[in-house]
Amino acid sequence: MNKLIYIILFLGFPIAHAFAQEPQGKIVIARIVDGDTIITYNLPEYMVSSKLPRQLRSMARKNSRLVYNVKKAYPYAKLAGLKLNEYEVMLRNAESEAERRRLMKQAEDELKEEFEDDLRKLTFKQGLILIKLVDRETGNSSYVLIQELRGKFTAFFWQAFARIFGYNLKTEYDPDGEDREIEEIVVMIENGEL
C-alpha cells in the first residue's frame, strides 16, 4: 500500500504542478491589523542632506537675484506707464507745438527731480530689466517713447549715450521667450505672491 501511495504521489505531483497557476506581479509581505490588510515593503536606504548640490545652489542664487532685481525695477516701470498716460492726455490738450514742447520739458524736469537719484542707484542688471519692463507696461520700447515725446534727434542721442554704457533702448520685451522668467516674477508680484 505504501508503494501505491508513493507511486500516486510521484506521478500526481508533476500533474498537479502542471495545472497550478503561476503567480503574477510581485509577491509582497502583508500583515492583518484589525481586519485591514497592510502591505509592508522595505525601502532602500536614502541619505538626506540639508545642503543643496552646487548646481542647484547656483540656480537658486541666480533666481533669487533676478527676483530682487525685478522687484526693484518693476515699480518704476509701472510708474512710467501711469506717467505716460498722464502726459499723453496733457499733450492731446496742448493747443500749439510750443506749448507741447514746454509741457514735455516741464514733465522731464519733474521726473528728473523726483526719480533721478533713485534711478542712478539701480544696478546695470536692474537698468536692463527696467528697459524691458517699460516696454511691457507701455507697449513701446524706450527708444520709441523718447522719439514720440521728444523727437528723433533726442531719441538718437539717448540711444547713442545708452549704448556707450551697454544698454539698448530699442530692446523689446519677450514674455514667451527670453523674458519668460521676468514675466513669471511680474505676474507673481501682481498677484501678491511676492
mmCIF file of all heavy atoms in Angstrom, residues 120-158:
data_model
loop_
_atom_site.group_PDB
_atom_site.id
_atom_site.type_symbol
_atom_site.label_atom_id
_atom_site.label_comp_id
_atom_site.label_asym_id
_atom_site.label_seq_id
_atom_site.Cartn_x
_atom_site.Cartn_y
_atom_site.Cartn_z
ATOM 1 N N ARG A 120 19.543 106.423 -10.548
ATOM 2 C CA ARG A 120 21.009 106.325 -10.607
ATOM 3 C C ARG A 120 21.523 105.213 -9.690
ATOM 4 O O ARG A 120 22.607 104.689 -9.902
ATOM 5 C CB ARG A 120 21.656 107.648 -10.220
ATOM 6 C CG ARG A 120 21.579 108.683 -11.307
ATOM 7 C CD ARG A 120 22.376 109.914 -10.916
ATOM 8 N NE ARG A 120 22.218 110.963 -11.883
ATOM 9 C CZ ARG A 120 23.011 111.133 -12.938
ATOM 10 N NH1 ARG A 120 23.996 110.290 -13.133
ATOM 11 N NH2 ARG A 120 22.812 112.111 -13.777
ATOM 12 N N LYS A 121 20.758 104.869 -8.669
ATOM 13 C CA LYS A 121 21.172 103.828 -7.723
ATOM 14 C C LYS A 121 20.902 102.423 -8.246
ATOM 15 O O LYS A 121 21.350 101.444 -7.648
ATOM 16 C CB LYS A 121 20.454 104.023 -6.390
ATOM 17 C CG LYS A 121 20.894 105.271 -5.657
ATOM 18 C CD LYS A 121 20.124 105.454 -4.378
ATOM 19 C CE LYS A 121 20.477 106.773 -3.709
ATOM 20 N NZ LYS A 121 19.652 107.030 -2.536
ATOM 21 N N LEU A 122 20.165 102.309 -9.350
ATOM 22 C CA LEU A 122 19.895 100.983 -9.906
ATOM 23 C C LEU A 122 21.181 100.382 -10.453
ATOM 24 O O LEU A 122 22.036 101.083 -10.991
ATOM 25 C CB LEU A 122 18.858 101.065 -11.033
ATOM 26 C CG LEU A 122 17.441 101.475 -10.653
ATOM 27 C CD1 LEU A 122 16.564 101.523 -11.896
ATOM 28 C CD2 LEU A 122 16.841 100.535 -9.641
ATOM 29 N N THR A 123 21.310 99.077 -10.330
ATOM 30 C CA THR A 123 22.473 98.385 -10.892
ATOM 31 C C THR A 123 22.293 98.242 -12.401
ATOM 32 O O THR A 123 21.223 98.523 -12.951
ATOM 33 C CB THR A 123 22.623 96.984 -10.270
ATOM 34 O OG1 THR A 123 21.497 96.184 -10.653
ATOM 35 C CG2 THR A 123 22.744 97.057 -8.760
ATOM 36 N N PHE A 124 23.347 97.795 -13.062
ATOM 37 C CA PHE A 124 23.299 97.601 -14.509
ATOM 38 C C PHE A 124 22.181 96.634 -14.890
ATOM 39 O O PHE A 124 21.390 96.898 -15.781
ATOM 40 C CB PHE A 124 24.657 97.073 -15.002
ATOM 41 C CG PHE A 124 24.698 96.823 -16.475
ATOM 42 C CD1 PHE A 124 24.882 97.862 -17.364
ATOM 43 C CD2 PHE A 124 24.538 95.534 -16.973
ATOM 44 C CE1 PHE A 124 24.919 97.631 -18.726
ATOM 45 C CE2 PHE A 124 24.566 95.301 -18.332
ATOM 46 C CZ PHE A 124 24.761 96.356 -19.215
ATOM 47 N N LYS A 125 22.102 95.508 -14.189
ATOM 48 C CA LYS A 125 21.090 94.491 -14.483
ATOM 49 C C LYS A 125 19.685 95.028 -14.237
ATOM 50 O O LYS A 125 18.758 94.762 -14.999
ATOM 51 C CB LYS A 125 21.346 93.237 -13.635
ATOM 52 C CG LYS A 125 20.503 92.063 -14.008
ATOM 53 C CD LYS A 125 20.853 91.545 -15.382
ATOM 54 C CE LYS A 125 20.085 90.287 -15.673
ATOM 55 N NZ LYS A 125 20.229 89.859 -17.042
ATOM 56 N N GLN A 126 19.515 95.794 -13.172
ATOM 57 C CA GLN A 126 18.216 96.390 -12.885
ATOM 58 C C GLN A 126 17.823 97.379 -13.979
ATOM 59 O O GLN A 126 16.653 97.488 -14.338
ATOM 60 C CB GLN A 126 18.236 97.076 -11.513
ATOM 61 C CG GLN A 126 18.325 96.098 -10.370
ATOM 62 C CD GLN A 126 18.662 96.762 -9.051
ATOM 63 O OE1 GLN A 126 18.960 97.955 -8.981
ATOM 64 N NE2 GLN A 126 18.646 95.969 -7.979
ATOM 65 N N GLY A 127 18.810 98.088 -14.526
ATOM 66 C CA GLY A 127 18.547 99.007 -15.635
ATOM 67 C C GLY A 127 18.072 98.268 -16.878
ATOM 68 O O GLY A 127 17.140 98.701 -17.557
ATOM 69 N N LEU A 128 18.713 97.140 -17.182
ATOM 70 C CA LEU A 128 18.278 96.331 -18.336
ATOM 71 C C LEU A 128 16.847 95.828 -18.133
ATOM 72 O O LEU A 128 16.028 95.861 -19.060
ATOM 73 C CB LEU A 128 19.211 95.132 -18.527
ATOM 74 C CG LEU A 128 20.620 95.424 -19.016
ATOM 75 C CD1 LEU A 128 21.443 94.141 -19.022
ATOM 76 C CD2 LEU A 128 20.608 96.048 -20.391
ATOM 77 N N ILE A 129 16.562 95.381 -16.928
ATOM 78 C CA ILE A 129 15.213 94.884 -16.620
ATOM 79 C C ILE A 129 14.206 96.026 -16.707
ATOM 80 O O ILE A 129 13.103 95.846 -17.225
ATOM 81 C CB ILE A 129 15.199 94.199 -15.240
ATOM 82 C CG1 ILE A 129 16.008 92.898 -15.295
ATOM 83 C CG2 ILE A 129 13.778 93.924 -14.781
ATOM 84 C CD1 ILE A 129 16.260 92.258 -13.943
ATOM 85 N N LEU A 130 14.584 97.201 -16.236
ATOM 86 C CA LEU A 130 13.693 98.363 -16.300
ATOM 87 C C LEU A 130 13.345 98.715 -17.744
ATOM 88 O O LEU A 130 12.179 98.982 -18.060
ATOM 89 C CB LEU A 130 14.327 99.570 -15.605
ATOM 90 C CG LEU A 130 13.517 100.861 -15.631
ATOM 91 C CD1 LEU A 130 12.169 100.667 -14.949
ATOM 92 C CD2 LEU A 130 14.293 101.994 -14.992
ATOM 93 N N ILE A 131 14.321 98.689 -18.631
ATOM 94 C CA ILE A 131 14.062 98.986 -20.046
ATOM 95 C C ILE A 131 13.053 97.991 -20.617
ATOM 96 O O ILE A 131 12.127 98.374 -21.340
ATOM 97 C CB ILE A 131 15.389 98.976 -20.849
ATOM 98 C CG1 ILE A 131 16.238 100.190 -20.466
ATOM 99 C CG2 ILE A 131 15.117 98.970 -22.350
ATOM 100 C CD1 ILE A 131 17.640 100.170 -21.024
ATOM 101 N N LYS A 132 13.203 96.716 -20.273
ATOM 102 C CA LYS A 132 12.270 95.698 -20.762
ATOM 103 C C LYS A 132 10.882 95.873 -20.153
ATOM 104 O O LYS A 132 9.863 95.724 -20.834
ATOM 105 C CB LYS A 132 12.810 94.300 -20.466
ATOM 106 C CG LYS A 132 14.027 93.960 -21.297
ATOM 107 C CD LYS A 132 14.530 92.579 -20.994
ATOM 108 C CE LYS A 132 15.724 92.261 -21.867
ATOM 109 N NZ LYS A 132 16.043 90.854 -21.877
ATOM 110 N N LEU A 133 10.841 96.181 -18.857
ATOM 111 C CA LEU A 133 9.543 96.331 -18.189
ATOM 112 C C LEU A 133 8.803 97.593 -18.644
ATOM 113 O O LEU A 133 7.572 97.607 -18.659
ATOM 114 C CB LEU A 133 9.724 96.322 -16.672
ATOM 115 C CG LEU A 133 10.117 94.976 -16.071
ATOM 116 C CD1 LEU A 133 10.338 95.098 -14.572
ATOM 117 C CD2 LEU A 133 9.083 93.911 -16.365
ATOM 118 N N VAL A 134 9.541 98.633 -19.023
ATOM 119 C CA VAL A 134 8.895 99.826 -19.580
ATOM 120 C C VAL A 134 8.194 99.446 -20.876
ATOM 121 O O VAL A 134 7.057 99.869 -21.126
ATOM 122 C CB VAL A 134 9.913 100.972 -19.792
ATOM 123 C CG1 VAL A 134 9.352 102.057 -20.691
ATOM 124 C CG2 VAL A 134 10.324 101.568 -18.456
ATOM 125 N N ASP A 135 8.848 98.630 -21.693
ATOM 126 C CA ASP A 135 8.210 98.148 -22.928
ATOM 127 C C ASP A 135 6.979 97.323 -22.587
ATOM 128 O O ASP A 135 5.941 97.431 -23.245
ATOM 129 C CB ASP A 135 9.201 97.329 -23.752
ATOM 130 C CG ASP A 135 8.610 96.839 -25.059
ATOM 131 O OD1 ASP A 135 7.808 97.568 -25.664
ATOM 132 O OD2 ASP A 135 8.943 95.718 -25.474
ATOM 133 N N ARG A 136 7.058 96.507 -21.546
ATOM 134 C CA ARG A 136 5.912 95.677 -21.141
ATOM 135 C C ARG A 136 4.735 96.553 -20.709
ATOM 136 O O ARG A 136 3.600 96.310 -21.069
ATOM 137 C CB ARG A 136 6.309 94.757 -19.994
ATOM 138 C CG ARG A 136 5.181 93.875 -19.495
ATOM 139 C CD ARG A 136 5.592 93.110 -18.243
ATOM 140 N NE ARG A 136 4.586 92.149 -17.851
ATOM 141 C CZ ARG A 136 3.573 92.411 -17.035
ATOM 142 N NH1 ARG A 136 3.415 93.622 -16.548
ATOM 143 N NH2 ARG A 136 2.706 91.461 -16.728
ATOM 144 N N GLU A 137 5.014 97.589 -19.927
ATOM 145 C CA GLU A 137 3.948 98.425 -19.372
ATOM 146 C C GLU A 137 3.348 99.390 -20.382
ATOM 147 O O GLU A 137 2.162 99.699 -20.318
ATOM 148 C CB GLU A 137 4.472 99.213 -18.160
ATOM 149 C CG GLU A 137 4.775 98.353 -16.962
ATOM 150 C CD GLU A 137 3.571 97.621 -16.434
ATOM 151 O OE1 GLU A 137 2.483 98.209 -16.325
ATOM 152 O OE2 GLU A 137 3.711 96.417 -16.141
ATOM 153 N N THR A 138 4.168 99.894 -21.311
ATOM 154 C CA THR A 138 3.692 100.922 -22.239
ATOM 155 C C THR A 138 3.358 100.370 -23.619
ATOM 156 O O THR A 138 2.639 101.017 -24.370
ATOM 157 C CB THR A 138 4.743 102.036 -22.394
ATOM 158 O OG1 THR A 138 5.940 101.489 -22.958
ATOM 159 C CG2 THR A 138 5.036 102.696 -21.068
ATOM 160 N N GLY A 139 3.913 99.229 -23.956
ATOM 161 C CA GLY A 139 3.680 98.670 -25.288
ATOM 162 C C GLY A 139 4.650 99.194 -26.326
ATOM 163 O O GLY A 139 4.579 98.820 -27.496
ATOM 164 N N ASN A 140 5.567 100.072 -25.932
ATOM 165 C CA ASN A 140 6.576 100.624 -26.835
ATOM 166 C C ASN A 140 7.940 100.563 -26.163
ATOM 167 O O ASN A 140 8.045 100.726 -24.944
ATOM 168 C CB ASN A 140 6.269 102.087 -27.188
ATOM 169 C CG ASN A 140 5.042 102.223 -28.051
ATOM 170 O OD1 ASN A 140 4.838 101.476 -28.990
ATOM 171 N ND2 ASN A 140 4.189 103.177 -27.706
ATOM 172 N N SER A 141 8.972 100.404 -26.978
ATOM 173 C CA SER A 141 10.317 100.421 -26.412
ATOM 174 C C SER A 141 10.637 101.831 -25.940
ATOM 175 O O SER A 141 9.999 102.807 -26.336
ATOM 176 C CB SER A 141 11.341 99.970 -27.462
ATOM 177 O OG SER A 141 11.435 100.940 -28.493
ATOM 178 N N SER A 142 11.642 101.954 -25.093
ATOM 179 C CA SER A 142 12.039 103.260 -24.566
ATOM 180 C C SER A 142 12.443 104.196 -25.690
ATOM 181 O O SER A 142 12.161 105.397 -25.648
ATOM 182 C CB SER A 142 13.198 103.096 -23.573
ATOM 183 O OG SER A 142 12.803 102.301 -22.489
ATOM 184 N N TYR A 143 13.099 103.652 -26.707
ATOM 185 C CA TYR A 143 13.528 104.464 -27.849
ATOM 186 C C TYR A 143 12.316 105.071 -28.560
ATOM 187 O O TYR A 143 12.299 106.266 -28.865
ATOM 188 C CB TYR A 143 14.343 103.602 -28.822
ATOM 189 C CG TYR A 143 14.832 104.361 -30.031
ATOM 190 C CD1 TYR A 143 15.985 105.130 -29.949
ATOM 191 C CD2 TYR A 143 14.147 104.310 -31.241
ATOM 192 C CE1 TYR A 143 16.447 105.832 -31.047
ATOM 193 C CE2 TYR A 143 14.596 105.016 -32.333
ATOM 194 C CZ TYR A 143 15.744 105.773 -32.237
ATOM 195 O OH TYR A 143 16.191 106.472 -33.319
ATOM 196 N N VAL A 144 11.293 104.282 -28.800
ATOM 197 C CA VAL A 144 10.086 104.766 -29.482
ATOM 198 C C VAL A 144 9.386 105.818 -28.626
ATOM 199 O O VAL A 144 8.909 106.834 -29.148
ATOM 200 C CB VAL A 144 9.133 103.589 -29.809
ATOM 201 C CG1 VAL A 144 7.790 104.087 -30.300
ATOM 202 C CG2 VAL A 144 9.767 102.656 -30.817
ATOM 203 N N LEU A 145 9.343 105.611 -27.317
ATOM 204 C CA LEU A 145 8.710 106.593 -26.429
ATOM 205 C C LEU A 145 9.432 107.932 -26.491
ATOM 206 O O LEU A 145 8.800 108.988 -26.594
ATOM 207 C CB LEU A 145 8.676 106.069 -24.991
ATOM 208 C CG LEU A 145 7.777 104.875 -24.734
ATOM 209 C CD1 LEU A 145 7.949 104.386 -23.297
ATOM 210 C CD2 LEU A 145 6.332 105.229 -25.001
ATOM 211 N N ILE A 146 10.762 107.891 -26.418
ATOM 212 C CA ILE A 146 11.532 109.132 -26.488
ATOM 213 C C ILE A 146 11.336 109.795 -27.851
ATOM 214 O O ILE A 146 11.167 111.014 -27.948
ATOM 215 C CB ILE A 146 13.026 108.869 -26.222
ATOM 216 C CG1 ILE A 146 13.219 108.371 -24.797
ATOM 217 C CG2 ILE A 146 13.854 110.127 -26.457
ATOM 218 C CD1 ILE A 146 14.610 107.856 -24.498
ATOM 219 N N GLN A 147 11.322 108.985 -28.895
ATOM 220 C CA GLN A 147 11.144 109.518 -30.251
ATOM 221 C C GLN A 147 9.785 110.205 -30.389
ATOM 222 O O GLN A 147 9.698 111.287 -30.961
ATOM 223 C CB GLN A 147 11.275 108.380 -31.265
ATOM 224 C CG GLN A 147 11.253 108.826 -32.696
ATOM 225 C CD GLN A 147 11.492 107.660 -33.649
ATOM 226 O OE1 GLN A 147 11.718 106.529 -33.219
ATOM 227 N NE2 GLN A 147 11.439 107.935 -34.925
ATOM 228 N N GLU A 148 8.734 109.605 -29.857
ATOM 229 C CA GLU A 148 7.397 110.193 -29.945
ATOM 230 C C GLU A 148 7.253 111.442 -29.087
ATOM 231 O O GLU A 148 6.602 112.402 -29.491
ATOM 232 C CB GLU A 148 6.341 109.171 -29.516
ATOM 233 C CG GLU A 148 6.121 108.058 -30.496
ATOM 234 C CD GLU A 148 5.136 107.007 -29.988
ATOM 235 O OE1 GLU A 148 4.650 107.136 -28.836
ATOM 236 O OE2 GLU A 148 4.866 106.054 -30.741
ATOM 237 N N LEU A 149 7.864 111.423 -27.917
ATOM 238 C CA LEU A 149 7.676 112.528 -26.983
ATOM 239 C C LEU A 149 8.686 113.664 -27.160
ATOM 240 O O LEU A 149 8.345 114.828 -26.963
ATOM 241 C CB LEU A 149 7.717 112.015 -25.542
ATOM 242 C CG LEU A 149 6.632 110.995 -25.183
ATOM 243 C CD1 LEU A 149 6.855 110.435 -23.797
ATOM 244 C CD2 LEU A 149 5.249 111.612 -25.296
ATOM 245 N N ARG A 150 9.926 113.342 -27.518
ATOM 246 C CA ARG A 150 10.962 114.376 -27.575
ATOM 247 C C ARG A 150 11.561 114.571 -28.960
ATOM 248 O O ARG A 150 12.346 115.484 -29.163
ATOM 249 C CB ARG A 150 12.076 114.033 -26.589
ATOM 250 C CG ARG A 150 11.642 113.967 -25.151
ATOM 251 C CD ARG A 150 11.361 115.320 -24.564
ATOM 252 N NE ARG A 150 12.637 115.994 -24.396
ATOM 253 C CZ ARG A 150 12.795 117.298 -24.419
ATOM 254 N NH1 ARG A 150 11.782 118.078 -24.594
ATOM 255 N NH2 ARG A 150 13.990 117.825 -24.262
ATOM 256 N N GLY A 151 11.289 113.677 -29.882
ATOM 257 C CA GLY A 151 11.798 113.850 -31.246
ATOM 258 C C GLY A 151 12.865 112.824 -31.591
ATOM 259 O O GLY A 151 13.437 112.167 -30.726
ATOM 260 N N LYS A 152 13.128 112.732 -32.903
ATOM 261 C CA LYS A 152 14.071 111.724 -33.394
ATOM 262 C C LYS A 152 15.502 112.003 -32.973
ATOM 263 O O LYS A 152 16.249 111.091 -32.629
ATOM 264 C CB LYS A 152 13.991 111.648 -34.919
ATOM 265 C CG LYS A 152 12.711 111.032 -35.418
ATOM 266 C CD LYS A 152 12.697 110.923 -36.930
ATOM 267 C CE LYS A 152 11.383 110.301 -37.380
ATOM 268 N NZ LYS A 152 11.335 110.140 -38.834
ATOM 269 N N PHE A 153 15.895 113.275 -33.016
ATOM 270 C CA PHE A 153 17.278 113.604 -32.652
ATOM 271 C C PHE A 153 17.554 113.262 -31.193
ATOM 272 O O PHE A 153 18.584 112.671 -30.866
ATOM 273 C CB PHE A 153 17.578 115.089 -32.916
ATOM 274 C CG PHE A 153 18.975 115.467 -32.540
ATOM 275 C CD1 PHE A 153 20.050 115.096 -33.335
ATOM 276 C CD2 PHE A 153 19.233 116.151 -31.354
ATOM 277 C CE1 PHE A 153 21.350 115.414 -32.975
ATOM 278 C CE2 PHE A 153 20.526 116.464 -30.979
ATOM 279 C CZ PHE A 153 21.590 116.100 -31.792
ATOM 280 N N THR A 154 16.639 113.610 -30.301
ATOM 281 C CA THR A 154 16.804 113.318 -28.875
ATOM 282 C C THR A 154 16.835 111.809 -28.641
ATOM 283 O O THR A 154 17.641 111.308 -27.846
ATOM 284 C CB THR A 154 15.668 113.961 -28.056
ATOM 285 O OG1 THR A 154 15.608 115.352 -28.359
ATOM 286 C CG2 THR A 154 15.873 113.772 -26.576
ATOM 287 N N ALA A 155 15.972 111.077 -29.340
ATOM 288 C CA ALA A 155 15.957 109.612 -29.211
ATOM 289 C C ALA A 155 17.285 109.028 -29.680
ATOM 290 O O ALA A 155 17.849 108.140 -29.027
ATOM 291 C CB ALA A 155 14.806 109.028 -30.012
ATOM 292 N N PHE A 156 17.809 109.560 -30.807
ATOM 293 C CA PHE A 156 19.098 109.092 -31.319
ATOM 294 C C PHE A 156 20.208 109.382 -30.310
ATOM 295 O O PHE A 156 21.063 108.539 -30.046
ATOM 296 C CB PHE A 156 19.402 109.756 -32.666
ATOM 297 C CG PHE A 156 20.752 109.415 -33.203
ATOM 298 C CD1 PHE A 156 20.990 108.186 -33.795
ATOM 299 C CD2 PHE A 156 21.808 110.318 -33.093
ATOM 300 C CE1 PHE A 156 22.241 107.862 -34.290
ATOM 301 C CE2 PHE A 156 23.066 110.003 -33.567
ATOM 302 C CZ PHE A 156 23.277 108.775 -34.166
ATOM 303 N N PHE A 157 20.192 110.599 -29.731
ATOM 304 C CA PHE A 157 21.205 110.986 -28.749
ATOM 305 C C PHE A 157 21.183 110.048 -27.547
ATOM 306 O O PHE A 157 22.222 109.530 -27.117
ATOM 307 C CB PHE A 157 20.970 112.434 -28.297
ATOM 308 C CG PHE A 157 21.809 112.821 -27.119
ATOM 309 C CD1 PHE A 157 23.156 113.125 -27.278
ATOM 310 C CD2 PHE A 157 21.268 112.868 -25.839
ATOM 311 C CE1 PHE A 157 23.941 113.468 -26.183
ATOM 312 C CE2 PHE A 157 22.043 113.211 -24.744
ATOM 313 C CZ PHE A 157 23.385 113.512 -24.921
ATOM 314 N N TRP A 158 19.993 109.786 -26.969
ATOM 315 C CA TRP A 158 19.897 108.938 -25.785
ATOM 316 C C TRP A 158 20.237 107.485 -26.110
ATOM 317 O O TRP A 158 20.797 106.772 -25.270
ATOM 318 C CB TRP A 158 18.523 109.056 -25.134
ATOM 319 C CG TRP A 158 18.381 110.327 -24.362
ATOM 320 C CD1 TRP A 158 17.589 111.394 -24.654
ATOM 321 C CD2 TRP A 158 19.084 110.672 -23.171
ATOM 322 N NE1 TRP A 158 17.753 112.383 -23.723
ATOM 323 C CE2 TRP A 158 18.670 111.965 -22.787
ATOM 324 C CE3 TRP A 158 20.027 110.037 -22.380
ATOM 325 C CZ2 TRP A 158 19.158 112.608 -21.669
ATOM 326 C CZ3 TRP A 158 20.518 110.682 -21.253
ATOM 327 C CH2 TRP A 158 20.081 111.952 -20.913
#
